[in-house]
Each structure stands twice: as C-alpha cells, then as structure tokens.
Amino acid sequence: MIRVRGLSKSYGRLQVLHEINLEIHKNEVVCIIGPSGSGKSTLLRCFNKLEEPSKGEVLINGCNLMDAKVDINKVRENIGMVFQSFHLFPHMTVLDNITLVPIQLKRETKSQAKESALALLDKVGLRDKANEYPERLSGGQKQRVAIARALAMNPDVMLFDEPTSALDPEMVGEVLQVMKQLAIEGMTMVIVTHEMGFAREVGDRVIFMDGGMIVEQNTPEQLFTNSQNPRVKDFLKKVL
Ligand code: ADP
Ligand code: MG
C-alpha cells in the first residue's frame, strides 16, 4: 500500500532522512519508535506529501507522489492522519467537524454524512457528544473525535503521529483502545508512538528509527525481547 524507495529529506543543510526504504502492506499495523528527533514525524509526513522529499520515491497504492501528474489532494483523501494535537475546528460541533470534508468533497449528502458520522461516533464511544463543541471535551474525547473525523473519509490507510503524547495519562487507554479496535478490523495503520506496550501488543511490525535511518525492523517480539542492536537496546533500556 505504501512503498518508499531511497527517500531522503533535508532541511537546508540538515539531512533528517537518509535513503529510507520501506513497505507497508494492506491490513498491516506498523509501529514506528525511536528517540526524539530521529525523523519519525518527517517520514510519516512524506507519506502524504505534507513534507516534500528531497530525493527518492513514495508510492501509495502504486501511485508515485513525485509524479507531477498525480493529484495529491485525491491521494490525501485516502490517507487519514491523526496528530498529537487534535486539530479540531473549535467553532464547530463534533458532528460538523466530522461531516465537513465529506460534504464539501461531495462524497456524501448531508444526511448520509450525518448518518455515517453518528455511526463513527458510536464506534469511538462518543455518540452522546455529537452536538458538543470541542472545548467541552476532554483530551481523550477530542482525540477520539479526530480519529472519527479521519475515518469519515473511508481511508485506505491511517497515519498516527504520537496520538496519545498530549494526553493526561488516564486518557491514553481510551484512545489506544479505539486504535486497537481498528487494527482488529483490519485497518492498515502506521503509528508513531512511545507506547511500547501498545506497539508490542498491536503492531505486526515495529520499526526503530535513529538519526534519520531505519536501524531495525522486526516483529514486536523479536525487537523488544531479542534485539541485538546496541542502539535499540539502549533506547529500550531508557523507555521500558
Ligand atoms: P521525530 O518525529 O522523530 O521527533 P522529526 O521528524 O520531527 O523527528 O525531526 C527530525 C529532525 O528534523 C529534527 O532534527 C528536527 O529538528 C528537524 N526538523 C523537523 N522539521 C523541521 C523543519 N520544518 N525545519 C527544520 N528542521 C526540521
Ligand atoms: Mg515527531
């Protein structure tokens, strides 16, 4: 579903991604871990061209994002993204936050969009908040709305960039639970996370990044209990 070949990214003279090669398959849940500044967010943002790669290729469902003929907005419609900070529209109700883009893009009529939004709110356990404004929600609730909003586009793949890092500890679980449910349903997901327990339990594969490179990718079991790589071992010693 996602194929990255020889991807490099520099900001001025600072090279933050070095010749990354990577494939994400349909229905796979891939967790990306690694120290702060290792390039995890930049890599994720190259998947939908929120960052322009300096070199290399990113293919989404075979469609090369570097190709000038590709309509990036069309590609983005099929890639859901959830950020650390929720990016909800503060002046809109939860329901309007979710239905805005599907209606704007004429994917659905207003009543269809409302119906699907309510079903999604059921899924994330927030149907009773449909008419609430974001400021009246807790962080965990906001993030679950953000996930519902991304799902409303019916994406092929969901990208998560530290979705629980901004949450109070007691709210982390409810968001991870929603993500776990998505994984069980077969959603293709790439998740940058510091939640090692989640990565281990839910990930099909874990990628460890350091210094703009993929240092190791492995099954969670292998990576967390049996890595031979000193950088991986050192990182895990600090965070586990
Ligand atoms: P991570 O998500 O693993 O913490 P990032 O991808 O955010 O890492 O950042 C990787 C490196 O790129 C860091 O050194 C960061 O300071 C740098 N960086 C990220 N975004 C920019 C930018 N817009 N301009 C300049 N440097 C940036
Ligand atoms: Mg980051």
Side-chain angles (χ1 to χ4, degrees):
M1 187 158 285
I2 300 177
R3 170 170 289 160
V4 171
R5 289 201 201 111
L7 173 67
S8 296
K9 171 71 183 173
S10 301
Y11 295 107
R13 285 168 56 197
L14 178 69
Q15 186 168 358
V16 300
L17 294 177
H18 300 265
E19 299 274 337
I20 302 269
N21 295 302
L22 174 65
E23 283 180 20
I24 310 286
H25 305 279
K26 192 168 159 42
N27 304 123
E28 209 182 8
V29 176
V30 176
C31 292
I32 304 180
I33 64 170
S36 182
S38 57
K40 306 181 297 296
S41 296
T42 305
L43 176 62
L44 210 62
R45 293 163 64 85
C46 284
F47 291 171
N48 56 4
K49 237 181 167 187
L50 287 179
E51 297 292 349
E52 184 87 35
S54 308
K55 216 176 103 207
E57 288 184 337
V58 178
L59 290 95
I60 306 291
N61 281 328
C63 171
N64 188 346
L65 302 194
M66 306 311 124
D67 186 339
K69 289 193 293 284
V70 166
D71 180 353
I72 186 65
N73 290 319
K74 275 273 168 282
V75 177
R76 283 185 187 141
E77 284 178 24
N78 287 312
I79 305 177
M81 189 149 186
V82 174
F83 303 88
Q84 181 175 332
S85 48
F86 326 109
H87 294 315
L88 297 176
F89 304 114
H91 58 292
M92 288 183 178
T93 64
V94 162
L95 196 68
D96 290 341
N97 263 279
I98 299 175
T99 58
L100 178 73
V101 177
I103 291 172
Q104 257 181 4
L105 292 176
K106 298 196 167 39
R107 280 242 182 143
E108 289 175 307
T109 65
K110 270 189 184 168
S111 66
Q112 280 170 341
K114 185 175 171 190
E115 202 177 311
S116 357
L118 289 173
L120 286 169
L121 283 172
D122 259 337
K123 194 186 177 81
V124 301
L126 290 173
R127 195 186 175 102
D128 57 325
K129 302 291 183 195
N131 297 311
E132 225 30 291
Y133 284 86
E135 65 175 9
R136 310 240 317 173
L137 303 180
S138 71
Q141 291 171 332
K142 281 186 220 178
Q143 194 59 302
R144 285 185 281 149
V145 172
I147 293 172
R149 183 176 60 177
L151 291 172
M153 292 299 287
N154 227 337
D156 290 334
V157 52
M158 288 280 285
L159 309 178
F160 293 87
D161 192 358
E162 298 194 26
T164 60
S165 293
L167 300 178
D168 291 333
E170 73 270 24
M171 292 169 189
V172 169
E174 66 196 55
V175 172
L176 294 180
Q177 189 52 44
V178 166
M179 293 166 65
K180 186 176 165 187
Q181 185 57 36
L182 286 178
I184 291 168
E185 290 167 12
M187 177 59 81
T188 308
M189 302 202 274
V190 186
I191 306 164
V192 175
T193 186
H194 292 295
E195 295 293 332
M196 298 300 143
F198 176 86
R200 189 163 177 175
E201 186 194 342
V202 181
D204 296 310
R205 180 152 53 105
V206 178
I207 290 175
F208 176 82
M209 283 184 73
D210 196 10
M213 287 181 262
I214 293 176
V215 172
E216 180 170 352
Q217 47 177 322
N218 221 324
T219 61
E221 193 57 29
Q222 279 298 319
L223 193 133
F224 285 116
T225 58
N226 211 10
S227 177
Q228 303 304 309
N229 188 293
R231 282 198 274 175
V232 176
K233 288 204 283 198
D234 183 53
F235 176 78
L236 292 177
K237 206 162 64 198
K238 286 180 190 145
V239 298
L240 286 179

